[in-house]
């Protein structure tokens, strides 16, 4: 890591150095131009990179904003343990929000389906938390390579007072000049990882030695096969169908969300190096393993317009 | 992503190291409607082995080509992201795409061709090192081709790659290709200092995209991917003077005060003498702080935190510049403007300006000129700019800011204008040589013809001549009052009356002399 920084002054800096510097620039602009900033922390690899970049951006100080996790109550247990441990280790301020209205109604991915569960527990939960604390800017780890509609989203992306995204009314972002002026009631989603890809994220995790949730590494885990998806039996809330028996398979996750909605892949990758090689050889993009992204080609665009992150 | 390499020959760690050490090329892809831009980009990714199987499945669903051979799919649909775009089969908004080979990562700004989306193209070009310009071999150069080339060159894109597409439809004819190249070179003199490469391709068949075409033995140049992988990506600002706009002041403890920013030009080292602009305070760099430890030097594009040897007043919006080559400081800017607002841009208009990390209020002053991109950048005098037009004007700011010419430095020579009511970004600005502030004051009359409200403001503004004028006023007043007293005493013979006259005269004339002196400063007449 130190070798990299010492050679970095030459004009041919590596692309990871450039992505890192750009992301740090974006975070600093956000805190300088906005009143009340929060970082959305979803515990996954992108959030781990985002948090690492925030620590670097404000060094020797701490990031001048809290982290917010919108907990759907269906996250993997290892994610929650990792979340609490990292916040403590880094000494950052972590807020957890659960949509209590959704809990009272008993909303869950199994009883109500992925779409309603995601809408109530994630989309509505996020809106509640942002409104409750009056945050005017939320930094998130979304990447443009994740989905076709994200490819057109700006780095400073505006939401109206109902948290809706209007793709037709986006501001141009020439050079590195971001316009953070808000109309009444608007808030901003800021995406410092816009120009990163899944491979970039793993290479950076490798280079910087960033801790990630152990679920990304292959190990024998109990899973059931539902259609083409391998679902991990993380706790006893997953109802088993008649005759269905969890099988122990060597699996890992490329992407992490609510456990019943996140497919595992069979893998032998037990280190970051293994994951990079697996990613280089993969013939499939990571979103394939997410149940919620498969409701048609425009599903992400529609969810975003409704206020999904 | 799957990269066509032979990893068996390499150690696994070497593969990872090579990927981490890759370089980055930002390029913009532009071309007229129907010249096949999206198809070419799609083909580039497909032939480089970078289109994944689930993306191909989604493509089959979108196109209805469920059983067609994979290489005949409509790859243009990989890029049209918004539902409206897929329905209309056109690109509306700027999209960013990413791909990587074993030697380089690419960030592609995919810009729509229509004239009404010029702002998207200008935005994409503002950060690009290279512009890929599509020309249809059957149709030849169009007005839009020239527009795109002009916009790219104006925004400082150094490399143009003209891909002459649909060569399969002109029987891979060398003559057709040569005619387009000759046609383009005829007007290329207007583009200034850019390198231009012409490549004959077929997006539909894959000729010269990633693999060399078997049909065009007469072409000896690089394939498109070869060109993209080998073009020089050293930032132009690397050889310019050191610049860093202060983004954020870091004060985690009472004894640490650091200035955060991204280096916009040159290189910085501890001990370097710098100016804080626009205030002009002079001090030295104490250290370059990063989370990876202190650095011995840092260069363009690095995000760092600087500490200074003296306790000077620095805040967000200030520019830290090399003392031996500082930026211009002025409250007037001559600029080229891409007007992107809904209405018109006209003299008298007032906006917020964001220049680097600095903000100010700006008003538009004449004279205004249109640079007609549809007529090879002919310049015409106009009284306003319409939406999507490009022109020049002068901006007057409510405070001086530090800036460079855009040709010297893209970061410190550019700005955006923000509408005060809608808060939209309504213009992109490229600074010509900034007007020096003190020279502007001296020559105000010569430049603008008559004193303006700006000049009257200058009369009372802070500058070096202000104190001198006051001193001269007082010394002249003392002498004048003695003379007045003596004359009044001689005429009236009454000391009391003479004294009253002097008191009244002192009060009135001090004020009048001061105005008189400052008004003379506006007149260049009789001065060398």
């Amino acid at each position: 890591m130190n070798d990299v920084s010492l050679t970095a002054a030459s004009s041919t800096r590596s692309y990871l150095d450039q992505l890192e510097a750009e992301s740090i620039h974006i975070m600093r602009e956000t805190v300088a131009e906005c009143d009340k900033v929060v970082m959305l922390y979803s515990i996954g690899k992108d959030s781990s990179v985002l948090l690492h970049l925030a620590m670097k951006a404000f060094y020797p100080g701490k990031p001048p904003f809290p982290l917010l996790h919108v907990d759907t109550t269906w996250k993997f247990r290892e994610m929650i343990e990792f979340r609490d441990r990292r916040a403590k280790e880094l000494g950052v301020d972590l807020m957890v929000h659960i949509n209590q209205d959704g809990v009272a109604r008993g909303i869950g991915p199994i009883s109500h389906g992925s779409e309603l569960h995601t809408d109530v527990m994630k989309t509505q939960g996020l809106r509640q938390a942002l409104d409750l604390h009056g945050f005017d800017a939320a930094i998130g780890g979304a990447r443009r390579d994740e989905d076709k509609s994200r490819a057109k989203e700006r780095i400073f992306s505006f939401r109206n007072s109902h948290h809706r995204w209007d793709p037709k009314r986006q501001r141009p972002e020439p050079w590195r000049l971001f316009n953070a002026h808000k109309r009444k009631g608007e808030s901003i989603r800021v995406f410092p990882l816009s120009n990163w890809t899944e491979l970039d994220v793993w290479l950076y995790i490798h280079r910087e030695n960033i801790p990630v949730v152990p679920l990304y590494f292959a190990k024998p885990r109990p899973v059931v096969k539902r259609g083409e998806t391998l679902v991990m039996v993380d706790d006893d809330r997953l109802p088993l169908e008649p005759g269905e028996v969890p099988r122990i398979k060597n699996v890992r996750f490329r992407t992490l969300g609510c456990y019943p909605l996140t497919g595992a892949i069979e893998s032998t990758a037990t280190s970051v190096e293994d994951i990079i090689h697996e990613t280089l050889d993969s013939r499939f993009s990571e979103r394939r393993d997410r149940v919620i992204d498969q409701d048609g080609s425009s599903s992400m665009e529609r969810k975003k317009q409704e206020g999904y992150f | 992503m799957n990269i066509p390499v032979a990893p068996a020959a390499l150690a696994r760690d070497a593969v990872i190291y090579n990927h981490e050490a890759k370089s980055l090329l930002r390029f913009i892809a532009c071309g007229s409607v129907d010249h096949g831009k999206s198809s070419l980009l799609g083909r580039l990714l497909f032939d480089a082995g970078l289109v994944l199987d689930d993306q191909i499945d989604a493509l089959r669903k979108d196109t209805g080509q469920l059983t067609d051979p994979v290489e005949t799919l409509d790859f243009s649909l990989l890029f049209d992201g918004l539902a409206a775009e897929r329905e209309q089969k056109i690109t509306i908004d700027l999209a960013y795409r990413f791909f990587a080979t074993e030697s380089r990562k690419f960030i592609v700004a995919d810009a729509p061709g229509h004239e009404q989306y010029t702002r998207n193209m200008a935005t994409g070009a503002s950060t690009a090192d290279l512009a890929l310009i599509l020309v249809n071999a059957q149709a030849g150069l169009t007005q839009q081709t020239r527009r795109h080339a002009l916009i790219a060159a104006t925004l400082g894109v150094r490399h143009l790659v003209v891909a002459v597409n649909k060569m399969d439809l002109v029987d891979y004819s060398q003559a057709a290709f040569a005619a387009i190249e000759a046609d383009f070179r005829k007007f290329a003199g207007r583009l200034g200092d850019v390198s231009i490469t012409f490549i004959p391709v077929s997006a539909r068949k894959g000729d010269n995209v990633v693999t060399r075409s078997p049909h065009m033995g007469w072409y000896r140049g690089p394939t498109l991917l070869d060109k993209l992988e080998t073009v020089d990506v050293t930032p132009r600002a690397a050889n310019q003077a050191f610049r860093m706009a202060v983004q954020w002041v870091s004060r985690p403890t009472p004894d640490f005060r650091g200035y955060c920013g991204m280096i916009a030009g040159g290189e910085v080292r501890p001990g370097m003498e710098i100016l804080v602009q626009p205030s002009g305070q002079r001090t030295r760099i104490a250290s370059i702080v990063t989370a990876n430890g202190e650095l011995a030097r840092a260069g363009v594009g690095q995000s760092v935190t600087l500490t200074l040897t003296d306790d000077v007043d620095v805040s967000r919006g200030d520019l830290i510049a090399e003392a031996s080559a500082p930026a211009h400081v002025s409250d007037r800017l001559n600029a080229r403007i891409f007007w992107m607002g809904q209405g018109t841009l006209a003299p008298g208009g007032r906006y917020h300006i964001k220049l680097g990390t600095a903000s100010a209020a700006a008003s538009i002053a004449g004279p205004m000129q249109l640079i007609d991109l549809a007529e090879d950048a002919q310049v015409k005098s106009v009284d306003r700019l319409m939406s999507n037009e490009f022109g020049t004007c002068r901006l007057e700011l409510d405070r001086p800011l530090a800036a460079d010419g855009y040709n010297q430095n893209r970061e410190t020579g550019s700005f955006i204008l923000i509408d005060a009511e809608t808060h939209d970004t309504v213009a992109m600005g490229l600074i010509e040589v900034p007007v020096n502030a003190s020279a502007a004051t001296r020559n105000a009359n010569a430049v603008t013809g008559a004193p303006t409200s700006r000049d009257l403001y200058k009369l009372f503004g802070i500058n070096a001549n202000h104190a001198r004028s006051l001193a001269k006023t007082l010394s002249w007043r003392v002498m004048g009052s003695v003379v007045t007293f003596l004359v009044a005493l001689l005429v009236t013979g009454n000391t009391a009356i003479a004294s009253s006259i002097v008191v009244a005269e002192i009060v009135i004339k001090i004020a009048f002399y001061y105005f008189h002196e400052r008004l003379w400063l506006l007149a260049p007449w009789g001065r060398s």
Side-chain angles (χ1 to χ4, degrees), chain A residues 2 15 21-22 25 29 33 152 171 175-176 178-179 183 195 200 206 274 280 283 285 298 301, chain B residues 1-2 12 20 22 26 51 53-54 83 85-86 105 126 247 292 303 316 354 422-423 425:
Chain A
N2 281 325
Y15 88 102
E22 178 184 272
H25 173 85
E29 280 300 284
E33 296 245 324
K152 311 228 160 173
R171 296 172 182 173
W175 300 291
R176 291 196 183 90
F178 302 109
N179 170 4
R183 283 183 279 266
N195 290 332
D200 302 337
H206 176 257
D274 292 345
L280 284 170
R283 294 298 311 152
S285 65
S298 306
E301 183 178 344
Chain B
M1 292 190 185
N2 189 18
R12 280 162 56 90
E20 287 174 358
K22 278 185 291 207
R26 291 173 195 261
V51 180
D53 291 353
D54 58 325
E85 292 178 324
R86 278 198 298 280
K105 163 159 172 147
S126 71
Q247 277 190 288
N292 294 359
S303 281
R316 173 171 166 86
K354 186 172 181 190
T422 65
H423 301 310
T425 304

Side-chain angles (χ1 to χ4, degrees), chain B residues 29-258:
Chain B
C30 41
S32 307
V33 185
D34 290 337
H35 283 202
K37 173 175 52 78
S38 293
S39 304
L40 182 63
L41 290 176
R43 170 60 73 170
L44 183 64
L45 292 199
F46 180 75
D47 283 2
L50 301 172
V51 180
L52 303 176
D53 291 353
D54 58 325
Q55 293 175 303
I56 289 174
D57 289 344
L59 201 57
R60 286 186 184 281
K61 265 186 229 162
D62 286 349
T63 58
Q65 293 173 284
L66 293 177
T67 54
D68 295 6
V70 67
E71 63 275 8
T72 64
L73 291 177
D74 183 357
F75 293 113
S76 66
L77 293 173
L78 281 172
F79 297 98
D80 295 327
L82 302 173
E85 292 178 324
R86 278 198 298 280
E87 282 155 18
Q88 298 171 40
K89 287 206 164 193
I90 56 159
T91 314
I92 293 170
D93 202 351
L94 187 67
Y96 288 93
R97 295 290 300 186
F98 310 90
F99 67 100
T101 61
E102 62 183 39
S103 63
R104 196 164 262 189
K105 163 159 172 147
F106 300 94
I107 298 180
V108 190
D110 186 5
H114 295 270
E115 187 172 338
Q116 66 265 38
Y117 304 124
T118 298
R119 65 186 212 158
N120 291 320
M121 199 212 136
T123 301
S126 71
T127 53
D129 304 307
L130 179 146
L132 171 62
I133 297 176
L134 264 281
V135 178
N136 180 340
Q138 285 181 304
L141 291 197
T142 64
Q143 206 47 257
Q144 278 190 30
T145 314
R146 285 195 274 269
R147 267 176 76 81
H148 292 153
L150 278 168
I151 293 170
T154 300
L155 282 154
V157 175
R158 286 181 297 163
H159 308 281
L160 298 188
V161 172
V162 180
V164 180
N165 190 23
K166 307 197 182 183
M167 286 301 290
D168 54 317
L169 299 181
V170 295
D171 295 328
Y172 300 106
S173 152
Q174 183 175 11
F177 175 73
I180 288 170
E181 175 171 353
D183 212 8
F184 194 96
R185 290 215 186 267
K186 257 186 264 168
F187 109 110
R190 295 191 160 274
L191 300 177
D193 180 24
V194 291
S195 76
I196 308 174
T197 308
F198 296 85
I199 306 178
V201 300
S202 165
R204 207 157 63 99
K205 309 272 183 177
D207 297 279
N208 287 337
V209 179
V210 171
T211 49
R212 187 156 283 282
S213 169
H215 304 109
M216 290 181 275
W218 47 266
Y219 174 72
R220 309 248 173 240
T223 64
L224 178 58
L225 185 63
D226 285 342
K227 183 66 191 173
L228 296 175
E229 280 192 314
T230 54
V231 75
D232 176 28
V233 289
T234 313
R236 206 181 256 178
N239 303 318
Q240 298 288 339
F242 169 66
R243 300 279 185 270
M244 190 191 91
V246 176
Q247 277 190 288
W248 163 262
V249 180
S250 170
R251 279 163 301 183
T253 56
D255 53 346
F256 184 90
R257 195 177 172 90

Side-chain angles (χ1 to χ4, degrees), chain B residues 441-442 445-446 518-527:
Chain B
T441 312
R442 269 201 308 278
N445 240 6
R518 299 303 291 177
L519 278 169
W520 265 101
L521 279 177
L522 289 180
W525 174 78
R527 258 197 317 232

Side-chain angles (χ1 to χ4, degrees), chain B residues 353-377:
Chain B
I353 181 173
K354 186 172 181 190
L355 196 170
T357 57
S359 293
S363 60
I364 307 299
M368 191 169 259
Q369 290 180 312
L370 170 74
I371 301 172
D372 194 340
L373 294 170
E375 292 186 31
D376 295 352

Side-chain angles (χ1 to χ4, degrees), chain A residues 149-161:
Chain A
S149 72
R150 286 231 197 264
K152 311 228 160 173
E153 189 160 12
R154 303 296 187 257
I155 291 172
F156 278 59
S157 185
F158 286 75
R159 300 289 185 272
N160 69 13
S161 52

